[in-house]
Amino acid sequence: MAGRHRPAYSHLPSSSSSPSWTSWTRQKRRRPYTMILRPRTVCLYALLVLVTASVLSLAVYFLYEPHLHVDLVFYDRNWISKEIDPITPLSGCFRPDRVSPLYNVSDAVYGMKRFEVQAGLPMRMGMDCYALAGTVVSPDDDQSSRYHHYIAPERRAQYHVYWRSDLSPFGKRQEYMLKSFFATQNIHTSRLVLWSNGDISPNPIIQKYLRLFPDSFTLRTVDIPTLARGTAMEDSKLLQLNDAKAWVDGDLVRLLVLWNHGGMWIDMDMLLTRDLAPLPRARVRNPVGLLWYVLLPSNGEYFAHFASDKIYQALNGALMRFRQHSPYLCEAFHLMSTSSPPRSPSTDWGAILYLRLWRRLLAESIPPFRILPFCFSDPLACRLDNSVPDPFTPDRSDGRWTDGYGLEENGGLDRVLKKIFAVHLHNRWDRPFPQNGWVDRLLLRRYDQQLWEMGIRDEEH
């Protein structure tokens, strides 16, 4: 046997010859490896994480201006399938035999306009949207041309605003809208009609403007049943609906007022920045992907628009224009009367209604209302990098706005405000404008100065 070669594996111990080997391997399998952290080590790691986070937070604070924008909306699927998805037929308001003699379809729907605002792109870069607003120029840029021969108040361009007197008294914050109107619009060719659900004529602020602008300012009391006569909403129980935010009844009032009188609707929480006269002469097309808009039917009739990423609430009526007895409004009333009652509070008679009407017009090959680019009237709703600063927050200490633009007079923000038409404040009536902030310097003080230069002598001017 001495000459035999041992197998290559003969050097491994067998279970019989080395019991300690088996015992050791079994113990090794039974005891998994664990890392034991002592309390002192845990505290050191926690301290390191805390110090790192603090340093990064300070760096971000001093190097950047952080913004957080989260907008999460849930929609009921049953509601969507019942109210949004179905496209019911129109009621025939555009048929020749039903169109009012006060409404010229050839001119209103298909007529040529002075301006053709055709973006063609979503304008998601830089100041493109503001630059487009600057292409809609006013023929009355010359100050001397603001003064014309006398025009009777009823024959002037009519602008409508609404204030619910039972929710809050008409005060200084509401007066800012009046100042913005009379400082930016041609008072010889326009008239502002202030509607309310009660008598607000004794208000001293109202009295002051009635005295200063007797031909350019008037009051009206809303009588909803009377305004609804001749529409699909006549004698409807839905006319009595209202809510604490004035959303449902406010959306109804604006449509009824424009149906009866025609003209332009302006929400009270807007500050006008330039003459609105060019807008009715603008023909605006709707490029896919815009963020916020104002609606314009091709005849110069229009609504306002929200963010396009809000699929069911893309439109808003803060700024809108329709002719008297417009078939667009006729169809809106039909849709309101044949749909489920609006939720309260909600925009079912506002943003939701406008979207539903727009889709039905397309389905029947009727040119729908057009859409102005978002920044024309709501520059607060642009992207985080190019929306105007928060009106209720003090200016940045370095005097900057965005992308190198400044907040000073004749600076980047000032030039933008001269191109767009309005700043929508989205209510927030209890928030004051910071003293010497951009709203105070670039808008409010200029309103007072403009009124003074127009010869308006008043204790506040």
Side-chain angles (χ1 to χ4, degrees):
M1 294 300 215
R4 272 187 198 176
H5 293 285
R6 298 180 63 184
Y9 52 82
S10 62
H11 66 281
L12 295 176
S14 64
S15 58
S16 59
S17 62
S18 181
S20 61
W21 169 265
T22 303
S23 175
W24 180 82
T25 54
R26 287 176 180 173
Q27 291 178 6
K28 186 175 181 181
R29 293 194 199 101
R30 291 173 184 168
R31 288 188 293 176
Y33 174 78
T34 58
M35 186 177 81
I36 300 176
L37 292 178
R38 298 179 180 180
R40 183 176 180 180
T41 304
V42 173
C43 291
L44 287 175
Y45 276 117
L47 181 61
L48 179 61
V49 171
L50 180 62
V51 170
T52 303
S54 300
V55 171
L56 290 176
S57 298
L58 289 173
V60 169
Y61 178 80
F62 285 107
L63 295 177
Y64 302 94
E65 186 175 346
H67 293 274
L68 180 63
H69 182 80
V70 178
D71 195 354
L72 185 63
V73 182
F74 293 90
Y75 296 98
D76 184 89
R77 293 185 182 276
N78 292 329
W79 174 80
I80 293 173
S81 62
K82 180 180 179 181
E83 300 294 336
I84 300 295
D85 290 341
I87 301 180
T88 54
L90 297 174
S91 65
C93 293
F94 284 87
R95 292 205 313 261
D97 60 316
R98 290 191 57 187
V99 174
S100 168
L102 299 174
Y103 191 90
N104 187 328
V105 174
S106 298
D107 175 62
V109 180
Y110 301 102
M112 296 297 295
K113 300 298 175 287
R114 179 182 179 91
F115 301 106
E116 180 78 26
V117 183
Q118 175 63 63
L121 293 173
M123 296 186 297
R124 293 195 179 104
M125 295 185 290
M127 300 290 120
D128 290 353
C129 181
Y130 300 120
L132 182 65
T135 67
V136 184
V137 297
S138 171
D140 297 334
D141 287 337
D142 182 8
Q143 180 67 20
S144 62
S145 65
R146 288 174 62 89
Y147 301 92
H148 302 269
H149 62 277
Y150 180 78
I151 302 176
E154 294 77 13
R155 297 182 61 84
R156 301 182 182 193
Q158 304 294 307
Y159 298 85
H160 305 274
V161 293
Y162 175 63
W163 185 250
R164 249 183 72 173
S165 58
D166 60 315
L167 294 184
S168 178
F170 195 97
K172 192 170 182 62
R173 270 294 304 277
Q174 291 71 40
E175 183 184 7
Y176 288 143
M177 193 279 156
L178 301 186
K179 284 187 176 183
S180 76
F181 179 88
F182 294 113
T184 59
Q185 308 306 300
N186 190 331
I187 63 172
H188 301 278
T189 60
S190 60
R191 180 170 72 161
L192 182 65
V193 183
L194 173 56
W195 295 81
S196 181
N197 63 330
D199 183 12
I200 59 176
S201 59
N203 184 292
I205 296 176
I206 301 297
Q207 282 293 318
K208 177 177 67 175
Y209 285 88
L210 288 172
R211 183 179 69 254
L212 293 173
F213 305 98
D215 292 332
S216 303
F217 184 49
T218 189
L219 303 180
R220 297 278 178 84
T221 301
V222 170
D223 184 346
I224 291 180
T226 299
L227 292 173
R229 290 175 183 170
T231 74
M233 293 292 289
E234 184 175 359
D235 296 329
S236 172
K237 295 181 180 179
L238 300 176
L239 298 178
Q240 308 302 320
L241 296 177
N242 61 68
D243 59 75
K245 295 183 177 181
W247 286 5
V248 171
D249 51 304
D251 286 331
L252 172 64
V253 166
R254 70 190 68 208
L255 298 181
L256 291 174
V257 165
L258 294 181
W259 166 260
N260 282 272
H261 301 279
M264 182 178 292
W265 180 276
I266 311 170
D267 270 4
M268 279 296 302
D269 59 347
M270 301 190 82
L271 295 177
L272 304 182
T273 58
R274 61 176 284 200
D275 193 354
L276 297 171
L279 288 182
R281 286 170 281 195
R283 185 185 185 98
V284 182
R285 298 192 184 278
N286 177 18
V288 176
L290 290 183
L291 296 179
W292 283 62
Y293 313 83
V294 177
L295 309 180
L296 268 257
S298 53
N299 57 349
E301 302 170 303
Y302 49 91
F303 289 109
H305 191 272
F306 275 164
S308 62
D309 55 350
K310 295 183 178 180
I311 183 173
Y312 305 123
Q313 293 179 298
L315 310 177
N316 174 270
L319 183 65
M320 56 195 299
R321 178 185 181 273
F322 284 93
R323 300 191 184 193
Q324 186 180 21
H325 290 182
S326 168
Y328 293 101
L329 298 180
C330 173
E331 292 293 352
F333 295 133
H334 166 73
L335 193 54
M336 295 163 71
S337 66
T338 56
S339 302
S340 300
R343 298 162 296 175
S344 181
S346 74
T347 60
D348 287 356
W349 279 358
I352 302 298
L353 174 68
Y354 310 149
L355 173 64
R356 298 174 65 206
L357 175 58
W358 187 82
R359 298 184 70 217
R360 283 158 176 76
L361 292 168
L362 288 181
E364 299 201 16
S365 302
I366 296 176
F369 35 75
R370 300 303 189 194
I371 300 175
L372 282 178
F374 54 97
C375 70
F376 278 39
S377 66
D378 206 337
L380 290 173
C382 302
R383 300 190 316 273
L384 294 179
D385 63 323
N386 66 0
S387 60
V388 300
D390 189 327
F392 306 103
T393 301
D395 292 351
R396 283 173 42 168
S397 58
D398 60 1
R400 310 309 295 170
W401 169 29
T402 183
D403 197 25
Y405 291 95
L407 303 174
E408 72 278 5
E409 186 174 357
N410 295 321
L413 177 61
D414 194 10
R415 293 194 298 272
V416 159
L417 293 174
K418 293 174 181 177
K419 294 178 180 179
I420 64 176
F421 293 88
V423 176
H424 192 188
L425 301 172
H426 297 277
N427 296 316
R428 297 188 282 181
W429 298 107
D430 57 336
R431 300 282 301 278
F433 298 116
Q435 185 175 6
N436 208 38
W438 69 269
V439 172
D440 181 33
R441 292 181 294 103
L442 304 181
L443 295 179
L444 303 185
R445 295 182 191 177
R446 288 182 178 175
Y447 298 154
D448 290 338
Q449 180 63 29
Q450 179 63 36
L451 292 174
W452 179 268
E453 293 176 359
M454 291 166 55
I456 305 300
R457 299 294 186 263
D458 187 76
E459 61 272 12
E460 299 204 9
H461 301 141

